[in-house]
Amino acid sequence: MKELKIESIFQVYNDLNELPSDISVLMNKAIIARTKAYAPYSKFKVGAAILLDNGKIVTGNNQENVSYPSGLCAERTAIYYAGAEYPDSKILKMAITAASSNQITKNPIPPCGACRQTIAEYEVKQDSPIEIYFMGEVGSIMKSNSLGNLLPLLFDKTAL
């Protein structure tokens, strides 16, 4: 037996003012998308914004349904829209923000497992990393240079 050590490295920005200007624009688009989320059951609104290599920004937000799990997360809403509308474009960067109606969300909220797997699919498909920035409602923002950093042992098409 041997051990395998896996490390993840993140950059942490103290607040929106510290972000590079292009990422600040992207995160602000995610914040606007978050305000439009349909989350009457969880009271947890999430917004996502994606920068494509053609310069387009695509947004998405979570859409809930009383019949769980019929809803869809913000990240997947945005990714699937980008894939449907711009199938030949690569995803360069993604910004994610989340807020709860029950409390102020101060900690960065990363993508859920299903969203990580979806992002992984597109990262593998396009053969290039996707920068991911995520935050709560306020406070610090974390940056991952790739989905592989968030989900280091990927399940992808090479296993099939």
Side-chain angles (χ1 to χ4, degrees), residues 76-110:
R76 286 182 282 156
T77 300
I79 288 170
Y80 293 150
Y81 179 78
E85 192 67 22
Y86 305 102
D88 298 324
S89 293
K90 289 184 177 183
I91 299 170
L92 301 178
K93 301 173 185 191
M94 174 181 268
I96 305 161
T97 175
S100 171
S101 297
N102 299 323
Q103 63 187 7
I104 294 176
T105 309
K106 297 178 183 177
N107 294 325
I109 306 294

Side-chain angles (χ1 to χ4, degrees), residues 11-88:
Q11 290 78 45
V12 180
Y13 298 88
N14 290 317
D15 56 37
L16 288 168
N17 296 323
E18 256 189 24
L19 288 174
S21 61
D22 63 329
I23 303 306
S24 181
V25 167
L26 196 63
M27 188 60 80
N28 280 306
K29 296 269 188 189
I31 290 168
I32 292 167
R34 183 189 74 209
T35 66
K36 299 174 187 176
Y38 178 68
Y41 309 106
S42 71
K43 309 281 192 244
F44 192 74
K45 293 185 173 190
V46 182
I50 295 172
L51 175 64
L52 302 173
D53 65 353
N54 64 6
K56 301 282 186 189
I57 294 177
V58 174
T59 63
N61 49 43
N62 57 317
Q63 298 293 311
E64 293 183 351
N65 189 290
V66 70
S67 176
Y68 287 118
S70 295
L72 197 60
C73 298
E75 299 92 316
R76 286 182 282 156
T77 300
I79 288 170
Y80 293 150
Y81 179 78
E85 192 67 22
Y86 305 102
D88 298 324

